[in-house]
Amino acid sequence: MGNQPPRLKFGVIGHQDNWKKIVDFVNSIRITDGNPELSQAKIKEVYGYFPPTKLFDIQINSKVSGFVEGYYIESFLSPDELGHSHIWNNLKKTREACEKAAQLGVDVVALGGFTSIILESGGANLQAIQGTKFTTGNTLTAALIADSLVKACQKWNQPLKDSTLLIIGSTGDIGSACVRYFSNKVKKILLTARNPAPLHQQEEQLKSEKANCLASTHVSELLPAADLIICVASSVLPENYLDLLQSHAIICDAGYPKNLNSENVKPSQKIYAGGMCLVEEGYCFSPEHFQKNIYEFPLPNISHGCTMESVVLALEGQSLAFSKGRGNINLENMAYILAAAAKHGIVTAPFFNSKGLIN
Amino acid sequence: MKNLIEIPELEIQHQDVVTDILSQSITGELIGMSNFASLAGVIDDVHEKMEAVEHANCERQHAEGYLALCKKYNLEPVINLNGHYWKSVRECFLKYAQKKDFIACLVIQEVMLECFAVSMYHDVGTALKNEIGEFFLTISKEEEEHIEHSIDILKEEMAKDPEAFTRKVEEIHKDCMFILAEWTASTDLKGHCGVCKGDCMKNSLPIINLSITSLRGNAMNLYMRTLNKIGLPGQKTLEWVINLPA
């Protein structure tokens, strides 16, 4: 017993990525109380004004050490206001959510979705509030993306070393981690991002390391050459991107939200949700009805990798800002967190997309 | 005889909406004054009685301050304590005052009404970049102190019996906040308020870069934060607010 790590409490700060989920969530509460449902327009009038709030308790079961408990704190960022023009308001709300986590006495907190910007954009002083540590969760997300793509290549007979890999959003925190992981494992690596300066700096760096690479801010120029695609930033894709893809292309939709169109892909093309994991021993929410409205996937016991990073750290008795800043994710940490997660039964998710499991 | 006192002028397009805002503010302060005066009459504890009188006087001074501004700017406010919403709020308060429920009265006046006053005064004060705006900001600060004071008392009540206190605040919320929510909805849910001079002022707020949506949203935000500071569970208070009329 003396070697057991102390039982820590984890936290997850998140936000909703579409109004449908929010409307369902709000109206489920109103119906329970016998009140009429509200239209999306009415809900939009109030939603963004809610202060960050703990919505439910979470219990995650481990394969080796019982379970760990934590909280989900909703930041109430509006899905319409996730862009750069709202960054200051979003940073303010995220900081308030972090303070809420600290008030609740949480040991280690993962910042899901867009809330991670507070740690990625120079928010160094927010790595901790009192004893509460914050992590973007990006290391586990990147590790899961990399692991899933390696497995996808094996499953669908696309040898990695003979493949051209396109990384969309290559200069971001997760994108750059994927570049580091794959740059010497594939035949050629293609890079794209919105901002040309860091993109070309990244290209120069890779060329100096003798990697075979090409960068462009125009994703349409690169799409036709790609066998494999990791899409961390889906918003840069052109509407006709499916027409530009190779017939055997494998796409890891690793952005947030996951909104790549999987309806019109050819049977030989594969689009799956990346950066996701399966909690083998299961998890539960209390009160449980929240799960139905705001955290449902086509398969049971699925979770985002970023949120599970705080769970793994709590299970391992480590309260620390594991992922912070931008461009700091290294391969050693990716290997460590993926192995630690697997020990507790938190593994790379089976291949699925909005239509369900992919065979 | 020539008038030697110079009357300052508001921009002409702002006059109606500013008059309506001042009308609501004066009426609201007078409702607050009346509420505390009623409370002073019914409660037995001498210290609470004195405190209620002091609060009533404070609200009276605020009303006088707003009246003085109206006079200075030659504005003619409508003061109507019998308008639908203000009258309903007053009746709600009296229901608890008659039961000598000091804590319930404190929740209505110092949490629910003051949160709306502090937030809306702040927003109006920030939008009106003039002397009237400055005054709104000053009163907002003063009312904020009332909230802080009540939080300390209500925290103690919460600590005595958290479940019973939560149930009690929920009941008061349903009584009082439903009125405030109907009043501040983007579309009138119960007709004209009886205080605005012409049509509902909500439609004119954009003239001074305000909207009823942001005024209401910020007020609800402060209300929820205040409930959370008292120690009420955030998940519960969120559900309460979600269930309000909109």
Side-chain angles (χ1 to χ4, degrees):
Chain A
M1 289 294 286
N3 293 329
Q4 287 283 336
R7 184 147 290 195
L8 301 182
K9 201 134 208 164
F10 71 91
V12 174
I13 293 174
H15 62 89
Q16 303 311 307
D17 58 20
N18 69 69
W19 283 107
K20 189 190 174 307
K21 280 185 192 172
I22 293 168
V23 170
D24 290 348
F25 164 71
V26 166
N27 283 330
S28 72
I29 290 172
R30 288 182 67 88
I31 290 165
T32 306
D33 230 41
N35 289 310
E37 293 187 14
L38 291 180
S39 66
Q40 181 172 304
K42 282 285 176 193
I43 292 169
K44 277 186 175 186
E45 285 182 3
V46 295
Y47 184 80
Y49 292 99
F50 293 152
T53 301
K54 185 197 94 171
L55 281 193
F56 50 82
D57 295 12
I58 312 170
Q59 180 182 304
I60 308 274
N61 301 315
S62 160
K63 214 156 78 171
V64 292
S65 55
F67 62 87
V68 68
E69 292 174 310
Y71 305 128
Y72 174 74
I73 297 165
E74 175 62 48
S75 59
F76 292 110
L77 303 186
S78 288
D80 298 340
E81 297 180 354
L82 298 175
H84 282 282
S85 55
H86 297 279
I87 194 163
W88 293 112
N89 190 43
N90 290 344
L91 283 170
K92 181 171 166 270
K93 289 193 90 166
T94 304
R95 185 171 181 105
E96 287 169 7
C98 292
E99 284 164 359
K100 171 64 73 181
Q103 282 168 19
L104 291 167
V106 175
D107 297 291
V108 57
V109 182
L111 299 170
F114 283 82
T115 67
S116 67
I117 54 170
I118 203 160
L119 284 178
E120 288 180 35
S121 55
N125 58 342
L126 248 182
Q127 287 170 30
I129 297 176
Q130 295 153 359
T132 303
K133 303 289 180 8
F134 299 96
T135 181
T136 62
N138 286 349
T139 308
L140 182 55
T141 300
L144 290 165
I145 292 168
D147 189 53
S148 71
L149 194 63
V150 171
K151 286 174 175 159
C153 287
Q154 290 163 356
K155 183 178 173 73
W156 290 309
N157 302 315
Q158 177 63 47
L160 196 59
K161 64 178 176 46
D162 299 331
S163 300
T164 295
L165 167 64
L166 167 62
I167 298 182
I168 300 171
S170 67
T171 57
D173 195 36
I174 295 170
S176 61
C178 293
V179 170
R180 277 189 285 282
Y181 185 89
F182 284 108
S183 61
N184 60 3
K185 293 183 178 70
V186 293
K187 185 176 75 180
K188 187 172 185 177
I189 192 159
L190 308 175
L191 313 167
T192 187
R194 287 189 195 89
N195 194 338
L199 180 64
H200 292 301
Q201 193 180 353
Q202 185 178 46
E203 184 184 24
E204 291 306 310
Q205 173 69 29
L206 285 177
K207 281 182 175 167
S208 73
E209 293 164 7
K210 310 289 183 214
N212 183 8
C213 68
L214 179 67
S216 171
T217 53
H218 302 290
V219 68
S220 305
E221 293 173 3
L222 305 177
L223 276 168
D227 305 299
L228 309 171
I229 298 163
I230 294 174
C231 188
V232 188
S234 56
S235 58
V236 298
L237 281 169
E239 273 185 29
N240 67 335
Y241 79 96
L242 282 173
D243 301 333
L244 301 173
L245 290 177
Q246 295 209 38
S247 60
H248 63 275
I250 298 172
I251 305 178
C252 171
D253 181 5
Y256 190 87
K258 301 199 182 304
N259 53 7
L260 289 188
N261 178 6
S262 55
E263 294 299 318
N264 301 318
V265 293
K266 294 174 190 150
S268 56
Q269 295 170 329
K270 310 292 178 193
I271 295 185
Y272 71 91
M276 308 300 291
C277 55
L278 170 72
V279 182
E280 290 177 328
E281 300 300 313
Y283 58 74
C284 58
F285 294 171
S286 174
E288 62 185 13
H289 64 270
F290 284 116
Q291 185 167 348
K292 184 176 182 306
N293 294 305
I294 63 173
Y295 210 67
E296 246 190 347
F297 296 100
L299 308 176
N301 297 322
I302 294 293
S303 179
H304 289 93
C306 59
T307 63
M308 283 298 125
E309 187 170 297
S310 65
V311 172
V312 173
L313 292 169
L315 283 165
E316 289 293 293
Q318 295 196 48
S319 173
L320 54 98
F322 191 74
S323 307
K324 54 185 180 286
R326 181 175 287 189
N328 297 328
I329 297 172
N330 61 50
L331 302 185
E332 291 76 19
N333 279 354
M334 284 168 69
Y336 163 78
I337 198 77
L338 192 68
K343 184 176 93 181
H344 294 284
I346 298 168
V347 298
T348 303
F351 297 107
F352 73 95
N353 58 29
S354 58
K355 290 193 286 192
L357 201 61
I358 309 169
N359 292 313
Chain B
M1 190 178 152
K2 192 180 172 189
N3 187 357
L4 295 176
I5 303 167
E6 190 184 341
I7 298 174
E9 285 185 0
L10 276 175
E11 285 181 53
I12 199 93
Q13 70 271 29
H14 290 179
Q15 280 183 3
D16 288 349
V17 68
V18 171
T19 303
D20 284 344
I21 288 170
L22 284 163
S23 298
Q24 297 287 358
S25 306
I26 295 162
T27 307
E29 294 294 344
L30 291 175
I31 288 285
M33 180 193 78
S34 308
N35 284 349
F36 279 117
S38 305
L39 191 60
V42 295
I43 50 179
D44 300 322
D45 183 276
V46 175
H47 297 289
E48 286 175 357
K49 198 183 272 287
M50 288 191 293
E51 199 169 327
V53 172
E54 192 183 320
H55 279 295
N57 191 43
C58 184
E59 307 290 6
R60 181 188 64 80
Q61 286 172 346
H62 292 165
E64 284 190 346
Y66 287 126
L67 282 165
L69 276 174
C70 288
K71 193 174 176 190
K72 184 173 178 180
Y73 284 85
N74 214 13
L75 304 173
E76 293 175 4
V78 174
I79 302 164
N80 179 10
L81 277 64
N82 288 312
H84 174 76
Y85 297 106
W86 282 121
K87 190 180 173 195
S88 303
V89 167
R90 173 91 176 116
E91 285 169 353
C92 176
F93 183 91
L94 283 175
K95 184 178 106 178
Y96 290 96
Q98 279 155 8
K99 288 192 272 185
K100 300 190 178 188
D101 190 338
F102 176 69
I103 292 299
C105 290
L106 206 63
V107 170
I108 293 172
Q109 185 60 42
E110 299 286 61
V111 176
M112 295 171 179
L113 294 176
E114 291 295 29
C115 279
F116 268 63
V118 166
S119 178
M120 291 185 170
Y121 288 174
H122 177 269
D123 288 353
V124 168
T126 308
L128 293 177
K129 300 183 191 328
N130 56 21
E131 184 190 17
I132 299 175
E134 286 296 319
F135 190 74
F136 270 103
L137 289 174
T138 304
I139 303 299
S140 174
K141 275 273 167 216
E142 282 185 30
E143 304 279 29
E144 206 175 337
E145 287 169 23
H146 292 181
I147 297 177
E148 291 301 322
H149 175 64
S150 69
I151 286 172
D152 294 336
I153 298 169
L154 296 172
K155 264 170 131 172
E156 284 178 27
E157 281 299 306
M158 174 85 188
K160 285 179 198 166
D161 186 344
E163 283 185 21
F165 183 75
T166 303
R167 280 197 303 274
K168 182 187 179 94
V169 178
E170 184 174 8
E171 184 196 326
I172 303 164
H173 168 90
K174 285 180 176 171
D175 277 352
C176 183
M177 288 302 289
F178 270 57
I179 303 166
L180 296 179
E182 283 174 339
W183 189 2
T184 54
S186 53
T187 46
D188 271 329
L189 297 176
K190 287 278 163 65
H192 195 279
C193 66
V195 178
C196 291
K197 250 183 179 164
D199 292 339
C200 179
M201 73 165 175
K202 289 171 192 171
N203 303 327
S204 309
L205 288 170
I207 297 171
I208 53 170
N209 294 322
L210 286 174
S211 72
I212 192 61
T213 304
S214 65
L215 283 172
R216 174 193 165 106
N218 289 331
M220 288 293 180
N221 179 286
L222 181 60
Y223 170 60
M224 292 169 81
R225 281 172 198 280
T226 303
L227 295 181
N228 293 348
K229 277 188 188 174
I230 292 165
L232 290 151
Q235 186 198 332
K236 277 258 175 222
T237 59
L238 177 71
E239 288 181 6
W240 298 350
V241 171
I242 281 176
N243 274 304
L244 288 171

